[in-house]
Amino acid sequence: VEAAQNGVGREPGWHDVWRNHLGVLGAWFVAGGGPAAARRAALVLWCGLFAWELVIIGQVARTHWAIQGQLPVIAELEHPGEVARWSGDVALTDTVAAHGRACLAVRLGTDTYSGTGTMRLPHDWRGYDRLLFEVHNPDTTALKLTLRINDRVHDQRSEDRFNTRIIARPGWTHVEVPLASVRTAPAGREMDMSDVLQVFIFATRLPEPRTIHLDHVRLE
């Protein structure tokens, strides 16, 4: 079932496999099959594993509510704990920053698409007019980047999300994106600004690896 989720807009994961087995173990106990001693051992094991799963769910919920409560900031990128929320080859650096003391260093490769993004962000963007952030290009030549934003019901077609080109010139580039353009970007519908799921910034088919720095992602 997990393998079948590839290519249909869902993401398979080993944690889901783990939960499936936890459910099977609980069902086996409830069904009452097998020797009594084995069922008692299964119950003890299941209770321990289920308690562990509840702890994980509680930690995820606490992180979720903390993220939702940080608006209008999407990501300050000041603390090591924030790095885990971003995909790709990323690291926190204090060698350069547009805001505060640190920012996110993103190493871009030569793959077809290379960059970073996050789904662990405040999802309700209603009541704001603009998305703002800073991009730093340490090289002497400009770099073409793409910003992608999509909501939860996005159907994986490029026409069903927001895409825009960013030219990162040497040094810092201030980026402002009108949220009215984001809302009306999907063909035939409006993006659900109460449930924005993902922000992704990437380069396409670079001839050689590059590095950018991302800082102070926020709404106004």
Side-chain angles (χ1 to χ4, degrees), residues 56-143:
I56 295 174
I57 292 173
Q59 292 174 338
V60 171
R62 183 177 61 183
T63 301
H64 172 78
W65 286 113
I67 291 173
Q68 300 308 310
Q70 72 187 23
L71 280 172
V73 175
I74 301 295
E76 286 188 324
L77 302 171
E78 291 287 318
H79 309 290
E82 291 185 275
V83 176
R85 300 178 188 174
W86 293 79
S87 63
D89 189 356
V90 298
L92 202 68
T93 179
D94 59 3
T95 58
V96 61
H99 174 81
R101 298 183 177 181
C103 65
L104 191 71
V106 183
R107 287 174 284 274
L108 306 173
T110 57
D111 297 338
T112 302
Y113 305 106
S114 179
T116 187
T118 182
M119 298 173 65
R120 299 175 65 181
L121 48 74
H123 299 302
D124 191 348
W125 292 16
R126 293 173 299 178
Y128 297 95
D129 297 322
R130 298 175 295 169
L131 171 69
L132 305 94
F133 59 92
E134 323 298 329
V135 176
H136 180 256
N137 176 6
D139 296 325
T140 57
T141 57
L143 179 63

Side-chain angles (χ1 to χ4, degrees), residues 16-205:
D16 287 343
V17 174
W18 158 262
R19 288 170 173 166
N20 293 341
H21 283 78
L22 187 60
V24 169
L25 186 62
W28 178 56
F29 170 75
V30 172
R39 285 189 285 110
R40 285 194 295 270
L43 175 61
V44 171
L45 178 61
W46 185 85
C47 287
L49 298 178
F50 186 70
W52 183 27
E53 187 65 29
L54 289 178
V55 170
I56 295 174
I57 292 173
Q59 292 174 338
V60 171
R62 183 177 61 183
T63 301
H64 172 78
W65 286 113
I67 291 173
Q68 300 308 310
Q70 72 187 23
L71 280 172
V73 175
I74 301 295
E76 286 188 324
L77 302 171
E78 291 287 318
H79 309 290
E82 291 185 275
V83 176
R85 300 178 188 174
W86 293 79
S87 63
D89 189 356
V90 298
L92 202 68
T93 179
D94 59 3
T95 58
V96 61
H99 174 81
R101 298 183 177 181
C103 65
L104 191 71
V106 183
R107 287 174 284 274
L108 306 173
T110 57
D111 297 338
T112 302
Y113 305 106
S114 179
T116 187
T118 182
M119 298 173 65
R120 299 175 65 181
L121 48 74
H123 299 302
D124 191 348
W125 292 16
R126 293 173 299 178
Y128 297 95
D129 297 322
R130 298 175 295 169
L131 171 69
L132 305 94
F133 59 92
E134 323 298 329
V135 176
H136 180 256
N137 176 6
D139 296 325
T140 57
T141 57
L143 179 63
K144 294 180 181 179
L145 301 169
T146 299
L147 173 68
R148 164 184 167 173
I149 302 172
N150 63 266
D151 57 7
R152 194 174 301 274
V153 298
H154 171 52
D155 65 9
Q156 303 305 314
R157 294 181 301 117
S158 60
E159 298 84 3
D160 195 53
R161 59 177 177 253
F162 174 82
N163 289 290
T164 191
R165 181 64 58 87
I166 297 169
I167 304 298
R169 305 190 184 281
W172 284 102
T173 297
H174 175 69
V175 179
E176 293 191 16
V177 178
L179 294 187
S181 299
V182 177
R183 186 180 64 252
T184 58
R189 70 179 184 93
E190 287 194 352
M191 189 174 297
D192 184 357
M193 302 305 290
S194 71
D195 199 10
V196 176
L197 180 65
Q198 183 182 48
V199 173
F200 188 42
I201 185 168
F202 60 94
T204 305
R205 297 186 179 91

